[in-house]
Amino acid sequence: MGDETVKNDALQIIGMFQVLPRLVVFDLDYTLWPFYCDCLSKREMPSLYPQAKGIVDALKEKGIDMAIASRSPTSDIAKTFIDKLSLKPMFVAQEIFSSWTHKTDHFQRIHSRTGIPFNSMLFFDDEDRNIQSVSKMGVTSILVGDGVNLGALRQGLTEFSQNASKSEKKDED
């Protein structure tokens, strides 16, 4: 499936939901791209998972902000790859630094930078420990097995929508 086809399918999926996240946050390694960037050289030309670009383009078109939260120990390589893939303008925040906090520091910084509450965020990552810790902050978090794809997008928006309606019910009580 080409980027345009994926983008159109992603736009259809996004259109099915009334409640959308204000910010979608992606991990990099094994979420947006199929490798650890610390295992590659800056000179190499990286590639994304097949459906990642179309999904990012669709979110951008819908006006949904995006950010990166990565624990990569080689932030210079990660940032070079983001530039090479022409993704830099897509993200309102890029928190790429090595950490033992399972991304909670990344999310604190993203929140400080954007002012967006955690419960208005949707997060995709390939590591369960990150999903667990970030979920406790109130972020809807989705574990991806083989990179971000249309199935993960649909699951993420479904869970985000369910979490949003639960918090509305709490507010009414």
PDB file of all heavy atoms in Angstrom, residues 25-37:
ATOM      1  N   VAL A  25       1.717  10.980  20.264  1.00  0.00           N
ATOM      2  CA  VAL A  25       3.147  10.866  20.534  1.00  0.00           C
ATOM      3  C   VAL A  25       3.635   9.507  20.049  1.00  0.00           C
ATOM      4  O   VAL A  25       3.010   8.482  20.336  1.00  0.00           O
ATOM      5  CB  VAL A  25       3.438  11.034  22.047  1.00  0.00           C
ATOM      6  CG1 VAL A  25       4.934  10.982  22.311  1.00  0.00           C
ATOM      7  CG2 VAL A  25       2.830  12.340  22.573  1.00  0.00           C
ATOM      8  N   PHE A  26       4.756   9.532  19.316  1.00  0.00           N
ATOM      9  CA  PHE A  26       5.345   8.302  18.795  1.00  0.00           C
ATOM     10  C   PHE A  26       6.721   8.065  19.399  1.00  0.00           C
ATOM     11  O   PHE A  26       7.512   9.002  19.536  1.00  0.00           O
ATOM     12  CB  PHE A  26       5.549   8.393  17.270  1.00  0.00           C
ATOM     13  CG  PHE A  26       4.282   8.515  16.477  1.00  0.00           C
ATOM     14  CD1 PHE A  26       3.853   9.757  16.026  1.00  0.00           C
ATOM     15  CD2 PHE A  26       3.528   7.395  16.158  1.00  0.00           C
ATOM     16  CE1 PHE A  26       2.693   9.889  15.275  1.00  0.00           C
ATOM     17  CE2 PHE A  26       2.365   7.516  15.407  1.00  0.00           C
ATOM     18  CZ  PHE A  26       1.954   8.768  14.964  1.00  0.00           C
ATOM     19  N   ASP A  27       7.009   6.803  19.699  1.00  0.00           N
ATOM     20  CA  ASP A  27       8.371   6.361  19.915  1.00  0.00           C
ATOM     21  C   ASP A  27       8.986   6.255  18.517  1.00  0.00           C
ATOM     22  O   ASP A  27       8.274   6.273  17.514  1.00  0.00           O
ATOM     23  CB  ASP A  27       8.338   4.989  20.611  1.00  0.00           C
ATOM     24  CG  ASP A  27       9.714   4.345  20.697  1.00  0.00           C
ATOM     25  OD1 ASP A  27      10.692   5.053  21.004  1.00  0.00           O
ATOM     26  OD2 ASP A  27       9.811   3.131  20.459  1.00  0.00           O
ATOM     27  N   LEU A  28      10.300   6.154  18.438  1.00  0.00           N
ATOM     28  CA  LEU A  28      10.965   6.008  17.134  1.00  0.00           C
ATOM     29  C   LEU A  28      11.301   4.549  16.818  1.00  0.00           C
ATOM     30  O   LEU A  28      10.722   3.942  15.925  1.00  0.00           O
ATOM     31  CB  LEU A  28      12.233   6.862  17.093  1.00  0.00           C
ATOM     32  CG  LEU A  28      12.026   8.379  17.109  1.00  0.00           C
ATOM     33  CD1 LEU A  28      13.358   9.105  17.222  1.00  0.00           C
ATOM     34  CD2 LEU A  28      11.275   8.834  15.865  1.00  0.00           C
ATOM     35  N   ASP A  29      12.266   3.983  17.568  1.00  0.00           N
ATOM     36  CA  ASP A  29      12.781   2.648  17.264  1.00  0.00           C
ATOM     37  C   ASP A  29      11.701   1.571  17.412  1.00  0.00           C
ATOM     38  O   ASP A  29      11.075   1.443  18.465  1.00  0.00           O
ATOM     39  CB  ASP A  29      13.961   2.307  18.183  1.00  0.00           C
ATOM     40  CG  ASP A  29      15.150   3.247  17.991  1.00  0.00           C
ATOM     41  OD1 ASP A  29      15.174   3.983  16.983  1.00  0.00           O
ATOM     42  OD2 ASP A  29      16.043   3.245  18.857  1.00  0.00           O
ATOM     43  N   TYR A  30      11.488   0.832  16.329  1.00  0.00           N
ATOM     44  CA  TYR A  30      10.503  -0.243  16.251  1.00  0.00           C
ATOM     45  C   TYR A  30       9.070   0.241  16.476  1.00  0.00           C
ATOM     46  O   TYR A  30       8.190  -0.520  16.823  1.00  0.00           O
ATOM     47  CB  TYR A  30      10.873  -1.422  17.168  1.00  0.00           C
ATOM     48  CG  TYR A  30      12.094  -2.126  16.606  1.00  0.00           C
ATOM     49  CD1 TYR A  30      13.368  -1.849  17.095  1.00  0.00           C
ATOM     50  CD2 TYR A  30      11.963  -2.997  15.535  1.00  0.00           C
ATOM     51  CE1 TYR A  30      14.491  -2.439  16.530  1.00  0.00           C
ATOM     52  CE2 TYR A  30      13.076  -3.601  14.966  1.00  0.00           C
ATOM     53  CZ  TYR A  30      14.333  -3.313  15.469  1.00  0.00           C
ATOM     54  OH  TYR A  30      15.431  -3.894  14.899  1.00  0.00           O
ATOM     55  N   THR A  31       8.844   1.548  16.261  1.00  0.00           N
ATOM     56  CA  THR A  31       7.488   2.103  16.277  1.00  0.00           C
ATOM     57  C   THR A  31       7.264   2.876  14.976  1.00  0.00           C
ATOM     58  O   THR A  31       6.389   2.526  14.195  1.00  0.00           O
ATOM     59  CB  THR A  31       7.270   3.005  17.507  1.00  0.00           C
ATOM     60  OG1 THR A  31       7.464   2.216  18.688  1.00  0.00           O
ATOM     61  CG2 THR A  31       5.860   3.577  17.521  1.00  0.00           C
ATOM     62  N   LEU A  32       8.085   3.900  14.712  1.00  0.00           N
ATOM     63  CA  LEU A  32       8.011   4.597  13.419  1.00  0.00           C
ATOM     64  C   LEU A  32       8.936   3.957  12.397  1.00  0.00           C
ATOM     65  O   LEU A  32       8.641   3.942  11.212  1.00  0.00           O
ATOM     66  CB  LEU A  32       8.365   6.080  13.575  1.00  0.00           C
ATOM     67  CG  LEU A  32       7.263   7.017  14.055  1.00  0.00           C
ATOM     68  CD1 LEU A  32       7.744   8.459  14.050  1.00  0.00           C
ATOM     69  CD2 LEU A  32       5.990   6.888  13.227  1.00  0.00           C
ATOM     70  N   TRP A  33      10.093   3.457  12.876  1.00  0.00           N
ATOM     71  CA  TRP A  33      11.018   2.801  11.938  1.00  0.00           C
ATOM     72  C   TRP A  33      11.476   1.453  12.482  1.00  0.00           C
ATOM     73  O   TRP A  33      11.508   1.243  13.688  1.00  0.00           O
ATOM     74  CB  TRP A  33      12.185   3.702  11.563  1.00  0.00           C
ATOM     75  CG  TRP A  33      12.995   4.331  12.663  1.00  0.00           C
ATOM     76  CD1 TRP A  33      13.559   3.707  13.741  1.00  0.00           C
ATOM     77  CD2 TRP A  33      13.384   5.700  12.754  1.00  0.00           C
ATOM     78  NE1 TRP A  33      14.258   4.610  14.498  1.00  0.00           N
ATOM     79  CE2 TRP A  33      14.172   5.842  13.913  1.00  0.00           C
ATOM     80  CE3 TRP A  33      13.157   6.829  11.969  1.00  0.00           C
ATOM     81  CZ2 TRP A  33      14.719   7.055  14.307  1.00  0.00           C
ATOM     82  CZ3 TRP A  33      13.704   8.026  12.368  1.00  0.00           C
ATOM     83  CH2 TRP A  33      14.479   8.138  13.519  1.00  0.00           C
ATOM     84  N   PRO A  34      11.849   0.530  11.575  1.00  0.00           N
ATOM     85  CA  PRO A  34      12.123  -0.862  11.966  1.00  0.00           C
ATOM     86  C   PRO A  34      13.582  -1.150  12.335  1.00  0.00           C
ATOM     87  O   PRO A  34      14.180  -2.089  11.825  1.00  0.00           O
ATOM     88  CB  PRO A  34      11.705  -1.652  10.713  1.00  0.00           C
ATOM     89  CG  PRO A  34      11.984  -0.715   9.584  1.00  0.00           C
ATOM     90  CD  PRO A  34      11.734   0.680  10.124  1.00  0.00           C
ATOM     91  N   PHE A  35      14.150  -0.362  13.221  1.00  0.00           N
ATOM     92  CA  PHE A  35      15.540  -0.576  13.647  1.00  0.00           C
ATOM     93  C   PHE A  35      15.816   0.256  14.889  1.00  0.00           C
ATOM     94  O   PHE A  35      15.031   1.137  15.243  1.00  0.00           O
ATOM     95  CB  PHE A  35      16.526  -0.178  12.531  1.00  0.00           C
ATOM     96  CG  PHE A  35      16.297   1.213  11.985  1.00  0.00           C
ATOM     97  CD1 PHE A  35      16.785   2.337  12.630  1.00  0.00           C
ATOM     98  CD2 PHE A  35      15.558   1.401  10.810  1.00  0.00           C
ATOM     99  CE1 PHE A  35      16.554   3.614  12.133  1.00  0.00           C
ATOM    100  CE2 PHE A  35      15.326   2.677  10.312  1.00  0.00           C
ATOM    101  CZ  PHE A  35      15.825   3.780  10.981  1.00  0.00           C
ATOM    102  N   TYR A  36      16.954  -0.050  15.553  1.00  0.00           N
ATOM    103  CA  TYR A  36      17.479   0.811  16.611  1.00  0.00           C
ATOM    104  C   TYR A  36      18.446   1.767  15.954  1.00  0.00           C
ATOM    105  O   TYR A  36      19.413   1.338  15.328  1.00  0.00           O
ATOM    106  CB  TYR A  36      18.233   0.002  17.676  1.00  0.00           C
ATOM    107  CG  TYR A  36      17.342  -0.852  18.537  1.00  0.00           C
ATOM    108  CD1 TYR A  36      17.430  -2.241  18.496  1.00  0.00           C
ATOM    109  CD2 TYR A  36      16.426  -0.273  19.412  1.00  0.00           C
ATOM    110  CE1 TYR A  36      16.617  -3.029  19.295  1.00  0.00           C
ATOM    111  CE2 TYR A  36      15.603  -1.051  20.205  1.00  0.00           C
ATOM    112  CZ  TYR A  36      15.706  -2.429  20.148  1.00  0.00           C
ATOM    113  OH  TYR A  36      14.898  -3.195  20.937  1.00  0.00           O
ATOM    114  N   CYS A  37      18.194   3.062  16.074  1.00  0.00           N
ATOM    115  CA  CYS A  37      19.062   4.009  15.352  1.00  0.00           C
ATOM    116  C   CYS A  37      20.483   4.009  15.905  1.00  0.00           C
ATOM    117  O   CYS A  37      21.413   4.387  15.194  1.00  0.00           O
ATOM    118  CB  CYS A  37      18.472   5.399  15.257  1.00  0.00           C
ATOM    119  SG  CYS A  37      18.114   6.204  16.777  1.00  0.00           S
TER     120      CYS A  37
END
